[in-house]
Every structure is written in structure tokens, then in C-alpha cells.
Amino acid sequence: MTLPTHVKLLDVGPRDGLQNEKANVATEHKAQLVAMLQDAGLTEIEVTSFVSPKWVPQMGDNAAVMAAIERKPGVRYSVLVPNMKGLEPALASRPDEILVFTAASEAFTQKNINCSIAESLERFAPVIEGAHAAGVKVRAALSCALGCPYEGDISADQVEAVVQPLRALGVDAIDIADTIGVGTPRKVQAAMARALKHFPLAEVSGHFHDTYGQALTNIYASLELGVHSFHASVAGLGGCPYAKGATGNVASEDVVFMLNGLGIETGVDLDRLVDAGAFISGVLGREPVSRVARAVLAKRG
Amino acid sequence: MTLPTHVKLLDVGPRDGLQNEKANVATEHKAQLVAMLQDAGLTEIEVTSFVSPKWVPQMGDNAAVMAAIERKPGVRYSVLVPNMKGLEPALASRPDEILVFTAASEAFTQKNINCSIAESLERFAPVIEGAHAAGVKVRAALSCALGCPYEGDISADQVEAVVQPLRALGVDAIDIADTIGVGTPRKVQAAMARALKHFPLAEVSGHFHDTYGQALTNIYASLELGVHSFHASVAGLGGCPYAKGATGNVASEDVVFMLNGLGIETGVDLDRLVDAGAFISGVLGREPVSRVARAVLAKRG
């Protein structure tokens, strides 16, 4: 089986990671993290979220962060936009891409964004239109695509039932997100296959959580289908909101180590990535959650 | 690609795990760990080592542990035997299998057991003969099969160069061991393919360390070759002797979670396995290293 020769890695640490950390990180430290990530070779970075600071105070400095980053040619910066209210300030911050999110689980969508899946799609329509009118690409995250903290198992049929209308709405790219980390290779391949029925190969990403240690295997299983776009969070920033003390986003360092071993190009320098993770972990006052980072730092002594 | 329907899991926690923990665990706690593992459904357990207590004081109670365990029909108990001196007391303890070990790396063998690979093989000859005369199976661990802390990269040729004489010496089964956890899927498949040239499929095991988070993916990649025997250590017991604070043996809980997800039978009850890991982690005064254990324990509250 031939694997892809290149992988596009999107680091979600500054947004998805820091949003789920208790500590409030200073704007300048967020900008420095972005700088270190792009210096390490990342070309896709999820920077911040234009959600209400009432709900997510950690992202209250969204516009300031976007203003503070030093944009590097060839790097694409994305921001999360939950609704029309967030669209205007988001577009004003000049992102290359916006991220909207829904879920494959009805129960999760109700609890997380307080509406049905169908209603979440209706809300997307003007957001997508507005972004496209401004020449900004729209990516959709499909949370709970492998399992739900409330519903349990999620089937490939449920995945496709949301993927299809997302594409019909004009969404450019889709993230198959294993929000609680319960996916295993065959189930991941089944979900990915459904996404690939509706989106081009280059526009389907895997967003895996390592809560049960399965993320790298799920990336490998996705590579076997030709998928070559993945999300990861430097230093494993974020944790798991559904199980205190458990792991959340897969660590970027661990993903890069595997891809290096497989001879797959990412353009990322592992040592500098470890530096970026060590920096932000220092700001948070803890160790990186990445196994690779720990091993590399232990070897550095 | 069809994966095996059953996997034989060998828990190395009581020996390989506890040998690399600083704390000296009481004999009764070791016996209780073995009891909890077999109650969880493990049918292969590496119990102790008949190495000199001067070198490995943690295993100084080897005979006492073997006398203390309550043997369950259908469960196979193995012990490590480094040399002829260890063989007599080992056989007196009535194991079902003994484990001998060498490495695919000349530098590692010199540093670890103070002889060349060729000399290590010579030392095995009478040990194998003695074990077979007593009707006891012999398994060989091939350490550093994917990489060496001193030599760096290890090739598939180097693996085969030791696998072949081991088989010629009459060794019954072989463990391809990634002692420092640097293996990635394609490299693992290449090493496994060499082992499969000389040993029957049922007698080739994967022994992966999770130091760089790669172990589960390497198990999955081995499953793709039909390999269906793996080692793991409950609660990730053991750590990594080559990088302080880094992860060592892959956690049994994480392996079982993946295999359950793949619909592959192990006969192991994950909840009871988590109990066993929580028990021994409590004895050691720390958290289980297993991501699955942490997530399951967090959910239990």
C-alpha cells in the first residue's frame, strides 16, 4: 500500500489547544507561539476564535492576537467563527480561512451549541456566504465523528448525513474530528471514506484526539486511504474537556516523528517544534504532553 | 487488508515492567498483580527474572514470586533466564516458558550483557538445550531491533543476521523488540518480514515501547502482516531506561482498547485490566502511564 509522500499539518494549539487550557495566556505569548510554530515550518496555524468572551474568555483577545502575529508568506492562518456575530470581526482580522463547527451527534450539538444539527447548518449558510464574498475559504469541523460523550457510538451513516449537506452549503474543506478520542483504525477509515465521497481528497482532514492513545494509528489508517491533511496541537495543548486529567489533541511532535519515520514530508523541523512546545508548556507551568517532546527533552538533558 | 481475528497478549509488567521501576515491590504485591492480570483474562504473563540480584535487586525474590502465584489453568507463565547459572533455579520454579535475550545491535549487546552478539548466541546453546530437556519452551527477545541508543539506526539486515542463528539454535519463538521506541510502521514491517522468514507466524511477537508514542501504530502495522502476538505492560510499568521521565513499554490497556475497536479478540476484560493497573500504580505511588487507564479512571470519577 502506497502512502502519500507529503502531509499538510495544521497546528491547532493556539486556538483549540489554549481554548481548553485553564490558564489565561498573554497575547504576546500567543503571538510568540505562532511565530515559533511557523519558524518550525508549520504552514497552517489555527490562531484564535471569534466566539463570545463570555463563553470562552481565553480567546477574548482574538483581534489583538491576529494583529500581533507576524505573518509569514506561505503560511495560512485560520480562525474559528461560531456565527454571524463573529464573522465581521473575524474577517476584519484578515484570516486565510475560517472554521465553522457542528457535530455528527445530535445530542452533542444540542449540548455544545444549543441547537439541532439542522439548525447549525442553517446558521452556517450566511457565514459561508459572507466568508466567500470576502474571498476567504471555509472549513467545517465535524465533531464527534467517531463517538459522542452523550450518544456513544456514531456510525458512518451519521457522518455522511452531515458531510453531504455541509458540502452542498459550499463548505470548502472538512475535518473529521474524533472529539473524545475513541476512534480506532477501521472505524476511522469508514468515516473518512464517507467524507471522501463528497469532498476532494486534498480537502479532507483528520483531527484526532489521543485520549485513548489511538490518534497516531488513526492518522496512519487515514494515510492508507490517501488522506494527507491532519491536525495536531503542539505539546498536546488542550487536554480533554470530557475526562479531567485525560489527554486531548494529539501532539504535533508525535505526528511529525511518525511521518518522518515513514519518509513523508511535512516541512516541519522536529527540534524547533519541540522548542515551541517547551516554550508554551513553560508559560503554562507544566510539561509537554507529547511523548516525543518528553523523550527529546530528556535526551537533551 | 484482513487483520487477524485473535491476538495473544503477553503482559510483561511483573517482570520487564517492575524490573525497570525504582521501587522495590513486595513479593505479595507482585503475586497479587499476577492474580489480577489473569483474572482480567491475560493468558501469558512474564513473571520474573532469574538474573543475579546484584544486578537487578528488584527481581531478587524470583523464586518466592513463582511460588506465591496461584496458577490458573490455561495461563502460561514465563521467566527470564540470562545464563546457565540462572537456568537451574528458573526451571525449579516451573515456568511454562523461558526468555533469553540478545540484541540486533553489537554496541548494545556489549554494553548491556558485556559480550558480542555471537558470544550471546553461544551462551544460549546450553540454556536452550537445558530448557528443552525439561520440556520448557524457549523464547528469545531481540532487543534494539528498530534502533539502538548507541548505534542509532538498525537495519532489517541486522535483524535477520541475528534472527536466523537464533532459529538455528532451536529457539521456539522470537520477540522483535523496539527497546527505545523509535520504530515507525514501515520499518517495523520490514523487520517483522525478516523474522517471518525464519519463524512461524504464531511464534513472532511484537514488543514495542511507546517512548515516542509509536507503539500502537507499530502493532497495527504488524497486524497488517498477520502478526498476532504482542507484548504490553499493564499501566505502562517500566519507564524508559534510556531517557529519564520518558515512556517505556506500551500500556496493555491502550493495546486492548485498540484491538477491541478493531473487533479483534484478546479475551481480556478492559475494566479489570484497568483495575490491575490502578492497583500496581497505587503500590508504586503514582498514576498509570496508560492513556486509556487515565481516561477510564477519570470517567469513573
Side-chain angles (χ1 to χ4, degrees), chain B residues 117-175:
Chain B
I117 295 174
E119 284 165 343
S120 78
L121 297 175
E122 278 170 36
R123 287 183 197 171
F124 287 168
V127 174
I128 296 164
E129 206 177 324
H132 282 166
V136 173
K137 195 174 162 182
V138 180
R139 183 161 59 84
L142 186 66
S143 299
C144 295
L146 282 306
C148 166
Y150 313 113
E151 281 182 35
D153 191 53
I154 296 290
S155 69
D157 285 345
Q158 284 173 280
V159 169
E160 189 171 1
V162 192
V163 164
Q164 186 165 28
L166 280 169
R167 185 59 174 172
L169 277 169
V171 161
D172 303 292
I174 183 120
D175 308 333

Short mmCIF file of all heavy atoms in Angstrom, two decimals, chain B residues 117-175:
data_model
loop_
_atom_site.label_atom_id
_atom_site.label_comp_id
_atom_site.label_asym_id
_atom_site.label_seq_id
_atom_site.Cartn_x
_atom_site.Cartn_y
_atom_site.Cartn_z
N ILE B 117 27.37 -10.19 20.09
CA ILE B 117 26.14 -10.92 19.73
C ILE B 117 26.47 -12.40 19.56
O ILE B 117 25.75 -13.27 20.06
CB ILE B 117 25.52 -10.35 18.43
CG1 ILE B 117 25.05 -8.91 18.64
CG2 ILE B 117 24.36 -11.22 17.96
CD1 ILE B 117 24.55 -8.21 17.36
N ALA B 118 27.57 -12.69 18.88
CA ALA B 118 27.95 -14.09 18.63
C ALA B 118 28.17 -14.83 19.95
O ALA B 118 27.71 -15.98 20.13
CB ALA B 118 29.22 -14.14 17.77
N GLU B 119 28.84 -14.16 20.89
CA GLU B 119 29.04 -14.79 22.21
C GLU B 119 27.71 -15.01 22.93
O GLU B 119 27.52 -16.02 23.62
CB GLU B 119 29.97 -13.93 23.06
CG GLU B 119 31.45 -14.04 22.65
CD GLU B 119 32.32 -12.92 23.25
OE1 GLU B 119 31.76 -11.89 23.70
OE2 GLU B 119 33.55 -13.07 23.23
N SER B 120 26.79 -14.05 22.79
CA SER B 120 25.49 -14.22 23.46
C SER B 120 24.77 -15.45 22.91
O SER B 120 24.13 -16.19 23.65
CB SER B 120 24.64 -12.95 23.31
OG SER B 120 24.05 -12.86 22.02
N LEU B 121 24.93 -15.67 21.60
CA LEU B 121 24.29 -16.84 20.99
C LEU B 121 24.93 -18.13 21.50
O LEU B 121 24.23 -19.12 21.77
CB LEU B 121 24.38 -16.77 19.46
CG LEU B 121 23.65 -15.57 18.82
CD1 LEU B 121 23.90 -15.53 17.31
CD2 LEU B 121 22.16 -15.62 19.10
N GLU B 122 26.26 -18.12 21.64
CA GLU B 122 26.95 -19.30 22.19
C GLU B 122 26.46 -19.64 23.59
O GLU B 122 26.27 -20.80 23.94
CB GLU B 122 28.47 -19.05 22.25
CG GLU B 122 29.20 -19.28 20.93
CD GLU B 122 30.64 -18.77 20.99
OE1 GLU B 122 31.26 -18.89 22.07
OE2 GLU B 122 31.10 -18.23 19.97
N ARG B 123 26.25 -18.59 24.39
CA ARG B 123 25.77 -18.81 25.76
C ARG B 123 24.36 -19.39 25.79
O ARG B 123 23.99 -20.07 26.74
CB ARG B 123 25.72 -17.47 26.52
CG ARG B 123 27.06 -16.94 26.91
CD ARG B 123 26.87 -15.67 27.72
NE ARG B 123 28.09 -14.90 27.80
CZ ARG B 123 28.16 -13.67 28.30
NH1 ARG B 123 27.07 -13.08 28.76
NH2 ARG B 123 29.31 -13.02 28.34
N PHE B 124 23.59 -19.07 24.74
CA PHE B 124 22.21 -19.57 24.70
C PHE B 124 22.17 -21.08 24.51
O PHE B 124 21.26 -21.74 25.03
CB PHE B 124 21.43 -18.96 23.53
CG PHE B 124 21.06 -17.52 23.70
CD1 PHE B 124 20.59 -16.79 22.63
CD2 PHE B 124 21.16 -16.91 24.94
CE1 PHE B 124 20.23 -15.47 22.77
CE2 PHE B 124 20.81 -15.58 25.10
CZ PHE B 124 20.34 -14.87 24.01
N ALA B 125 23.11 -21.62 23.73
CA ALA B 125 23.02 -23.02 23.30
C ALA B 125 22.71 -23.97 24.46
O ALA B 125 21.70 -24.69 24.41
CB ALA B 125 24.27 -23.42 22.54
N PRO B 126 23.52 -23.97 25.54
CA PRO B 126 23.21 -24.90 26.63
C PRO B 126 21.94 -24.53 27.39
O PRO B 126 21.25 -25.44 27.91
CB PRO B 126 24.44 -24.79 27.54
CG PRO B 126 25.07 -23.48 27.22
CD PRO B 126 24.77 -23.23 25.77
N VAL B 127 21.60 -23.25 27.43
CA VAL B 127 20.37 -22.82 28.11
C VAL B 127 19.16 -23.39 27.37
O VAL B 127 18.24 -23.96 27.98
CB VAL B 127 20.29 -21.27 28.18
CG1 VAL B 127 18.94 -20.82 28.76
CG2 VAL B 127 21.44 -20.71 29.00
N ILE B 128 19.20 -23.27 26.04
CA ILE B 128 18.10 -23.79 25.22
C ILE B 128 17.99 -25.30 25.37
O ILE B 128 16.90 -25.85 25.56
CB ILE B 128 18.33 -23.41 23.73
CG1 ILE B 128 18.28 -21.88 23.57
CG2 ILE B 128 17.31 -24.09 22.82
CD1 ILE B 128 18.86 -21.37 22.25
N GLU B 129 19.16 -25.93 25.30
CA GLU B 129 19.18 -27.40 25.44
C GLU B 129 18.60 -27.84 26.78
O GLU B 129 17.77 -28.75 26.85
CB GLU B 129 20.65 -27.86 25.32
CG GLU B 129 20.81 -29.28 24.83
CD GLU B 129 22.30 -29.63 24.68
OE1 GLU B 129 23.09 -28.72 24.29
OE2 GLU B 129 22.67 -30.77 24.97
N GLY B 130 19.04 -27.15 27.83
CA GLY B 130 18.56 -27.48 29.18
C GLY B 130 17.07 -27.27 29.33
O GLY B 130 16.36 -28.09 29.93
N ALA B 131 16.58 -26.18 28.79
CA ALA B 131 15.14 -25.89 28.89
C ALA B 131 14.34 -26.93 28.12
O ALA B 131 13.35 -27.47 28.63
CB ALA B 131 14.86 -24.48 28.35
N HIS B 132 14.78 -27.22 26.91
CA HIS B 132 14.06 -28.20 26.10
C HIS B 132 14.08 -29.57 26.75
O HIS B 132 13.08 -30.30 26.70
CB HIS B 132 14.65 -28.25 24.68
CG HIS B 132 14.21 -27.10 23.82
ND1 HIS B 132 14.80 -26.77 22.63
CD2 HIS B 132 13.19 -26.19 23.99
CE1 HIS B 132 14.19 -25.73 22.10
NE2 HIS B 132 13.22 -25.36 22.91
N ALA B 133 15.21 -29.92 27.36
CA ALA B 133 15.29 -31.23 28.04
C ALA B 133 14.27 -31.31 29.17
O ALA B 133 13.76 -32.38 29.49
CB ALA B 133 16.71 -31.44 28.59
N ALA B 134 13.94 -30.14 29.75
CA ALA B 134 12.95 -30.10 30.83
C ALA B 134 11.54 -29.87 30.28
O ALA B 134 10.59 -29.71 31.05
CB ALA B 134 13.32 -28.99 31.81
N GLY B 135 11.42 -29.86 28.94
CA GLY B 135 10.11 -29.69 28.33
C GLY B 135 9.59 -28.26 28.37
O GLY B 135 8.38 -28.02 28.31
N VAL B 136 10.51 -27.31 28.49
CA VAL B 136 10.11 -25.90 28.59
C VAL B 136 10.46 -25.17 27.29
O VAL B 136 11.56 -25.32 26.75
CB VAL B 136 10.83 -25.23 29.79
CG1 VAL B 136 10.57 -23.73 29.82
CG2 VAL B 136 10.37 -25.88 31.10
N LYS B 137 9.53 -24.42 26.81
CA LYS B 137 9.67 -23.66 25.58
C LYS B 137 10.67 -22.50 25.77
O LYS B 137 10.79 -21.97 26.88
CB LYS B 137 8.29 -23.10 25.23
CG LYS B 137 8.13 -22.59 23.82
CD LYS B 137 6.66 -22.19 23.57
CE LYS B 137 6.59 -21.28 22.35
NZ LYS B 137 5.22 -20.82 22.06
N VAL B 138 11.35 -22.13 24.70
CA VAL B 138 12.31 -21.03 24.77
C VAL B 138 11.93 -19.91 23.79
O VAL B 138 11.78 -20.14 22.60
CB VAL B 138 13.75 -21.49 24.48
CG1 VAL B 138 14.72 -20.29 24.57
CG2 VAL B 138 14.18 -22.59 25.43
N ARG B 139 11.81 -18.72 24.34
CA ARG B 139 11.52 -17.53 23.56
C ARG B 139 12.74 -16.63 23.63
O ARG B 139 13.40 -16.56 24.67
CB ARG B 139 10.31 -16.84 24.21
CG ARG B 139 9.77 -15.63 23.57
CD ARG B 139 8.31 -15.37 24.07
NE ARG B 139 8.22 -15.20 25.50
CZ ARG B 139 8.42 -14.04 26.14
NH1 ARG B 139 8.76 -12.96 25.47
NH2 ARG B 139 8.28 -13.96 27.45
N ALA B 140 13.08 -15.99 22.51
CA ALA B 140 14.21 -15.07 22.51
C ALA B 140 13.74 -13.66 22.23
O ALA B 140 12.94 -13.44 21.31
CB ALA B 140 15.25 -15.48 21.46
N ALA B 141 14.22 -12.71 23.02
CA ALA B 141 13.93 -11.30 22.77
C ALA B 141 15.08 -10.71 21.97
O ALA B 141 16.23 -10.85 22.35
CB ALA B 141 13.78 -10.55 24.09
N LEU B 142 14.74 -10.08 20.86
CA LEU B 142 15.76 -9.39 20.07
C LEU B 142 15.62 -7.90 20.34
O LEU B 142 14.81 -7.19 19.72
CB LEU B 142 15.58 -9.70 18.58
CG LEU B 142 16.70 -9.14 17.70
CD1 LEU B 142 18.03 -9.83 18.01
CD2 LEU B 142 16.36 -9.30 16.23
N SER B 143 16.42 -7.43 21.28
CA SER B 143 16.37 -6.01 21.66
C SER B 143 16.89 -5.13 20.54
O SER B 143 17.62 -5.59 19.66
CB SER B 143 17.22 -5.78 22.92
OG SER B 143 16.74 -6.53 23.99
N CYS B 144 16.57 -3.87 20.61
CA CYS B 144 17.09 -2.86 19.67
C CYS B 144 16.87 -3.26 18.22
O CYS B 144 17.70 -2.95 17.36
CB CYS B 144 18.57 -2.62 19.92
SG CYS B 144 18.90 -1.91 21.52
N ALA B 145 15.76 -3.92 17.94
CA ALA B 145 15.51 -4.38 16.58
C ALA B 145 15.11 -3.24 15.65
O ALA B 145 15.13 -3.39 14.43
CB ALA B 145 14.42 -5.46 16.59
N LEU B 146 14.75 -2.10 16.20
CA LEU B 146 14.36 -0.95 15.36
C LEU B 146 15.30 0.24 15.51
O LEU B 146 15.19 1.22 14.77
CB LEU B 146 12.93 -0.51 15.68
CG LEU B 146 11.75 -1.31 15.13
CD1 LEU B 146 11.85 -1.45 13.62
CD2 LEU B 146 11.55 -2.64 15.78
N GLY B 147 16.18 0.16 16.49
CA GLY B 147 17.08 1.28 16.74
C GLY B 147 17.82 1.03 18.03
O GLY B 147 17.37 0.25 18.87
N CYS B 148 18.97 1.66 18.17
CA CYS B 148 19.86 1.40 19.32
C CYS B 148 20.28 2.73 19.94
O CYS B 148 20.58 3.69 19.22
CB CYS B 148 21.08 0.63 18.82
SG CYS B 148 22.44 0.59 20.01
N PRO B 149 20.30 2.80 21.27
CA PRO B 149 20.71 4.06 21.91
C PRO B 149 22.17 4.41 21.62
O PRO B 149 22.55 5.57 21.75
CB PRO B 149 20.49 3.81 23.40
CG PRO B 149 20.42 2.34 23.57
CD PRO B 149 19.92 1.79 22.27
N TYR B 150 22.98 3.43 21.21
CA TYR B 150 24.40 3.70 20.95
C TYR B 150 24.70 3.76 19.45
O TYR B 150 25.43 4.62 18.98
CB TYR B 150 25.27 2.63 21.62
CG TYR B 150 24.86 2.40 23.05
CD1 TYR B 150 24.30 1.19 23.46
CD2 TYR B 150 24.98 3.41 24.01
CE1 TYR B 150 23.89 0.99 24.78
CE2 TYR B 150 24.57 3.22 25.32
CZ TYR B 150 24.03 2.00 25.70
OH TYR B 150 23.61 1.82 26.99
N GLU B 151 24.11 2.83 18.68
CA GLU B 151 24.40 2.77 17.24
C GLU B 151 23.47 3.61 16.38
O GLU B 151 23.76 3.89 15.22
CB GLU B 151 24.30 1.32 16.73
CG GLU B 151 25.51 0.47 17.05
CD GLU B 151 25.39 -0.94 16.47
OE1 GLU B 151 24.83 -1.14 15.38
OE2 GLU B 151 25.86 -1.87 17.15
N GLY B 152 22.32 3.95 16.93
CA GLY B 152 21.33 4.66 16.12
C GLY B 152 20.50 3.69 15.30
O GLY B 152 19.95 2.72 15.84
N ASP B 153 20.43 3.92 14.01
CA ASP B 153 19.57 3.11 13.14
C ASP B 153 20.02 1.64 13.10
O ASP B 153 21.22 1.34 13.14
CB ASP B 153 19.61 3.68 11.72
CG ASP B 153 18.55 3.05 10.85
OD1 ASP B 153 17.37 3.04 11.25
OD2 ASP B 153 18.89 2.53 9.77
N ILE B 154 19.05 0.74 13.06
CA ILE B 154 19.32 -0.70 12.91
C ILE B 154 18.55 -1.15 11.67
O ILE B 154 17.36 -0.88 11.53
CB ILE B 154 18.83 -1.48 14.15
CG1 ILE B 154 19.62 -1.06 15.41
CG2 ILE B 154 18.91 -2.99 13.92
CD1 ILE B 154 21.07 -1.49 15.46
N SER B 155 19.26 -1.85 10.77
CA SER B 155 18.62 -2.25 9.52
C SER B 155 17.93 -3.60 9.64
O SER B 155 18.20 -4.38 10.56
CB SER B 155 19.68 -2.34 8.42
OG SER B 155 20.54 -3.43 8.69
N ALA B 156 17.05 -3.89 8.68
CA ALA B 156 16.40 -5.20 8.64
C ALA B 156 17.45 -6.30 8.43
O ALA B 156 17.29 -7.41 8.93
CB ALA B 156 15.36 -5.22 7.53
N ASP B 157 18.51 -5.98 7.72
CA ASP B 157 19.60 -6.96 7.55
C ASP B 157 20.21 -7.34 8.90
O ASP B 157 20.49 -8.51 9.16
CB ASP B 157 20.71 -6.39 6.66
CG ASP B 157 20.32 -6.36 5.18
OD1 ASP B 157 19.33 -7.04 4.81
OD2 ASP B 157 21.01 -5.67 4.41
N GLN B 158 20.41 -6.34 9.74
CA GLN B 158 20.96 -6.62 11.07
C GLN B 158 20.00 -7.48 11.89
O GLN B 158 20.43 -8.35 12.65
CB GLN B 158 21.25 -5.30 11.82
CG GLN B 158 22.49 -4.58 11.34
CD GLN B 158 22.63 -3.21 11.99
OE1 GLN B 158 21.97 -2.25 11.55
NE2 GLN B 158 23.45 -3.09 13.01
N VAL B 159 18.71 -7.23 11.72
CA VAL B 159 17.71 -8.05 12.43
C VAL B 159 17.81 -9.50 11.97
O VAL B 159 17.93 -10.43 12.78
CB VAL B 159 16.28 -7.50 12.17
CG1 VAL B 159 15.22 -8.47 12.66
CG2 VAL B 159 16.12 -6.13 12.83
N GLU B 160 17.81 -9.68 10.66
CA GLU B 160 17.83 -11.05 10.13
C GLU B 160 19.13 -11.77 10.49
O GLU B 160 19.13 -12.99 10.72
CB GLU B 160 17.63 -11.05 8.61
CG GLU B 160 17.42 -12.46 8.08
CD GLU B 160 17.01 -12.50 6.61
OE1 GLU B 160 16.89 -11.42 5.99
OE2 GLU B 160 16.78 -13.62 6.12
N ALA B 161 20.22 -11.02 10.58
CA ALA B 161 21.52 -11.62 10.90
C ALA B 161 21.53 -12.27 12.28
O ALA B 161 22.37 -13.14 12.56
CB ALA B 161 22.62 -10.57 10.80
N VAL B 162 20.61 -11.87 13.16
CA VAL B 162 20.53 -12.49 14.49
C VAL B 162 19.34 -13.45 14.57
O VAL B 162 19.39 -14.48 15.25
CB VAL B 162 20.47 -11.43 15.60
CG1 VAL B 162 20.69 -12.07 16.97
CG2 VAL B 162 21.52 -10.34 15.36
N VAL B 163 18.27 -13.11 13.87
CA VAL B 163 17.08 -13.97 13.88
C VAL B 163 17.42 -15.37 13.35
O VAL B 163 17.03 -16.39 13.93
CB VAL B 163 15.95 -13.35 13.02
CG1 VAL B 163 14.88 -14.38 12.70
CG2 VAL B 163 15.34 -12.14 13.73
N GLN B 164 18.17 -15.40 12.26
CA GLN B 164 18.49 -16.67 11.60
C GLN B 164 19.27 -17.63 12.54
O GLN B 164 18.83 -18.76 12.74
CB GLN B 164 19.29 -16.38 10.33
CG GLN B 164 19.55 -17.60 9.49
CD GLN B 164 20.01 -17.21 8.08
OE1 GLN B 164 20.62 -16.15 7.87
NE2 GLN B 164 19.72 -18.06 7.11
N PRO B 165 20.39 -17.20 13.14
CA PRO B 165 21.09 -18.11 14.06
C PRO B 165 20.27 -18.48 15.30
O PRO B 165 20.43 -19.58 15.84
CB PRO B 165 22.36 -17.36 14.44
CG PRO B 165 22.14 -15.94 14.04
CD PRO B 165 21.17 -15.97 12.91
N LEU B 166 19.40 -17.57 15.73
CA LEU B 166 18.55 -17.90 16.89
C LEU B 166 17.65 -19.09 16.56
O LEU B 166 17.50 -20.01 17.35
CB LEU B 166 17.69 -16.69 17.29
CG LEU B 166 18.38 -15.60 18.11
CD1 LEU B 166 17.50 -14.36 18.21
CD2 LEU B 166 18.73 -16.11 19.51
N ARG B 167 17.08 -19.04 15.37
CA ARG B 167 16.23 -20.15 14.95
C ARG B 167 17.05 -21.43 14.81
O ARG B 167 16.62 -22.51 15.25
CB ARG B 167 15.55 -19.81 13.62
CG ARG B 167 14.55 -20.85 13.16
CD ARG B 167 13.44 -21.03 14.17
NE ARG B 167 12.40 -21.92 13.69
CZ ARG B 167 11.40 -22.36 14.43
NH1 ARG B 167 11.30 -22.03 15.70
NH2 ARG B 167 10.48 -23.15 13.92
N ALA B 168 18.26 -21.27 14.24
CA ALA B 168 19.14 -22.43 14.04
C ALA B 168 19.51 -23.07 15.38
O ALA B 168 19.71 -24.29 15.47
CB ALA B 168 20.39 -22.02 13.27
N LEU B 169 19.58 -22.24 16.42
CA LEU B 169 19.91 -22.75 17.76
C LEU B 169 18.73 -23.48 18.40
O LEU B 169 18.89 -24.08 19.47
CB LEU B 169 20.30 -21.59 18.68
CG LEU B 169 21.74 -21.09 18.62
CD1 LEU B 169 21.86 -19.76 19.38
CD2 LEU B 169 22.69 -22.12 19.22
N GLY B 170 17.57 -23.40 17.80
CA GLY B 170 16.42 -24.13 18.33
C GLY B 170 15.46 -23.28 19.14
O GLY B 170 14.54 -23.81 19.78
N VAL B 171 15.66 -21.97 19.13
CA VAL B 171 14.72 -21.09 19.82
C VAL B 171 13.32 -21.27 19.21
O VAL B 171 13.19 -21.38 17.99
CB VAL B 171 15.20 -19.62 19.68
CG1 VAL B 171 14.08 -18.63 19.94
CG2 VAL B 171 16.38 -19.37 20.61
N ASP B 172 12.29 -21.33 20.07
CA ASP B 172 10.94 -21.63 19.58
C ASP B 172 10.18 -20.41 19.08
O ASP B 172 9.35 -20.51 18.18
CB ASP B 172 10.12 -22.29 20.70
CG ASP B 172 10.79 -23.55 21.21
OD1 ASP B 172 10.85 -24.53 20.45
OD2 ASP B 172 11.31 -23.53 22.36
N ALA B 173 10.45 -19.28 19.73
CA ALA B 173 9.67 -18.07 19.40
C ALA B 173 10.58 -16.85 19.51
O ALA B 173 11.57 -16.88 20.25
CB ALA B 173 8.49 -17.92 20.35
N ILE B 174 10.22 -15.80 18.78
CA ILE B 174 11.07 -14.60 18.79
C ILE B 174 10.24 -13.33 19.03
O ILE B 174 9.13 -13.21 18.52
CB ILE B 174 11.86 -14.48 17.46
CG1 ILE B 174 12.81 -13.26 17.49
CG2 ILE B 174 10.93 -14.32 16.25
CD1 ILE B 174 14.22 -13.63 17.31
N ASP B 175 10.82 -12.43 19.82
CA ASP B 175 10.21 -11.12 20.06
C ASP B 175 11.01 -10.06 19.34
O ASP B 175 12.20 -9.89 19.61
CB ASP B 175 10.24 -10.75 21.55
CG ASP B 175 9.68 -11.83 22.45
OD1 ASP B 175 8.83 -12.61 21.97
OD2 ASP B 175 10.11 -11.91 23.61
#
